Amino acid sequence: MFANYPKSAVRFSAGVRRADLFVDAGQFDAAVDLYGAVLRENPPEDVAATCVYFTGESQLKLGKKADAAISFEQVKAKYPKSPFLPYALLKLGAIYGEDPAKADQVIELYKAVAAQPGSDRLGAEAAFQMAEVYFKRKDFARSAESYKSLMKSYPADARTAEARLQAAWASHNAGLYADALAAVVEGLKGEAADKQAEWLYLKANSERQLMKNQEAAQSYSDLLLKFPDSPLANAARYERALTFYKQGKYKETVEEASKVKPVPELTKDVYWLLAESYSELKDEDNAIQYYRMIVKDFPASDVACDA
């Protein structure tokens, strides 16, 4: 059809369909060649945009990301009114997102999709990916804002459910502890058991930052009781001890802090907490013991001089 009927109204459609069949068969090299054959015949703009976009998709399947990026950039530059534009921008975002140096460029791509998404699915994907990029950059305020936009504008999208925990962490890390706690309350209502430990840990952390020390201690306790083998259990035990210290419960602090496993990221803080608690309890021998351990093992730390 494509070869023998050059004046047919469906000639270009036939060429595209043939290339599509090779995509369906997993023969992506052949598909790239066939989309190229259609393009060389100067098809209408909508057909050309289709061919360029699916050339990029086929190149991605072949692992040729640089070539795919060129194809998607052509969609962006030559066919700004094509319905494939937001798809191409999302694909570019995914490709460029592998290079941290291109984070600003990636965000601009997702912003362009969010401004004119073409569908709720595309709008949700753009908001989700933008939030993820901001989170990786530790720009937690903008990440929380993007997650909030996702959940408000696209509550039924699968990405909204997927993002709830990360969104709560973004709020927490941005210092929006009340927002984080509200998100946790909602998240705990239906979260699967494999995520409940992290939800509880986030709940306790948010409560502690809001100076709800009694509630935080109980939340840490709930986590330790329900998920004693969780990777978060050790940190939860330390932070539970910290909540006791802030309440002036020094004996309980010592009991809890003494159970924390000695891991590099917590050892210095545990020593300090024990030393300060023993000092408050007027147990000078133990206090001196832990102050000396800080001076010996962590001489360059922020508390070495005080110790």
Side-chain angles (χ1 to χ4, degrees):
M1 183 71 197
F2 181 72
N4 297 328
Y5 298 92
K7 295 182 179 180
S8 170
V10 293
R11 181 199 181 203
F12 292 118
S13 295
V16 172
R17 289 281 188 266
R18 184 166 183 244
D20 292 345
L21 286 171
F22 280 86
V23 170
D24 294 342
Q27 298 181 36
F28 302 109
D29 277 320
V32 169
D33 290 341
L34 292 171
Y35 287 127
V38 176
L39 285 167
R40 285 192 291 273
E41 295 297 314
N42 296 315
E45 187 172 297
D46 59 331
V47 176
T50 300
C51 289
V52 174
Y53 175 78
F54 283 106
T55 294
E57 287 273 21
S58 299
Q59 289 164 330
L60 272 184
K61 295 291 186 181
L62 292 167
K64 298 179 178 179
K65 292 183 180 179
D67 290 340
I70 292 172
S71 296
F72 296 134
E73 286 284 6
Q74 286 179 348
V75 176
K76 177 185 172 188
K78 294 182 178 180
Y79 311 108
K81 296 181 180 180
S82 168
F84 290 107
L85 176 64
Y87 293 95
L89 297 180
L90 287 172
K91 295 293 183 181
L92 282 172
I95 294 170
Y96 294 158
E98 296 178 4
D99 182 356
K102 293 184 177 180
D104 288 336
Q105 187 176 351
V106 170
I107 287 171
E108 290 305 314
L109 290 168
Y110 291 141
K111 282 183 177 179
V113 178
Q116 292 183 312
S119 72
D120 286 353
R121 174 78 278 282
L122 294 173
E125 190 65 26
F128 174 83
Q129 295 297 345
M130 199 180 335
E132 293 281 293
V133 174
Y134 280 131
F135 196 97
K136 288 176 183 175
R137 293 181 70 182
K138 301 188 185 303
D139 189 344
F140 298 116
R142 286 192 174 92
S143 180
E145 184 180 343
S146 295
Y147 281 125
K148 191 176 292 185
S149 174
L150 165 67
M151 294 174 179
K152 180 180 178 182
S153 300
Y154 310 104
D157 193 87
R159 285 298 199 189
T160 294
E162 180 184 342
R164 290 193 187 281
L165 182 55
Q166 186 88 324
W169 273 116
S171 293
H172 174 276
N173 294 349
L176 303 170
Y177 304 116
D179 288 354
L181 186 56
V184 169
V185 171
E186 287 299 313
L188 280 170
K189 289 179 180 178
E191 194 59 49
D194 63 337
K195 294 282 185 70
Q196 271 200 5
E198 191 171 353
W199 278 112
L200 282 170
Y201 182 71
L202 179 55
K203 179 175 184 284
N205 279 11
S206 300
E207 288 167 337
R208 180 166 60 82
Q209 294 291 350
L210 291 168
M211 295 185 285
K212 297 182 176 183
N213 290 309
Q214 289 184 335
E215 293 91 336
Q218 183 60 52
S219 295
Y220 287 126
S221 180
D222 290 344
L223 190 161
L224 293 166
L225 181 64
K226 294 179 181 178
F227 307 99
D229 298 323
S230 167
L232 297 167
N234 204 45
R237 197 175 297 283
Y238 163 72
E239 286 168 16
R240 185 167 188 253
L242 192 60
T243 61
F244 285 142
Y245 181 82
K246 289 182 177 180
Q247 294 177 75
K249 297 180 178 180
Y250 304 115
K251 182 178 178 181
E252 290 88 342
T253 302
V254 168
E255 290 175 356
E256 197 67 31
S258 297
K259 298 175 186 176
V260 177
K261 295 177 183 177
V263 292
E265 61 269 22
L266 289 177
T267 300
K268 181 261 294 182
D269 294 328
V270 170
Y271 285 172
W272 179 256
L273 194 56
L274 286 167
E276 290 285 276
S277 297
Y278 278 124
S279 181
E280 294 289 345
L281 291 168
K282 310 302 180 187
D283 185 341
E284 294 179 354
D285 290 347
N286 275 310
I288 290 172
Q289 169 180 281
Y290 284 104
Y291 285 132
R292 283 188 179 279
M293 290 170 74
I294 291 171
V295 173
K296 175 178 174 292
D297 296 341
F298 303 97
S301 71
D302 56 334
V303 292
C305 290
D306 288 336

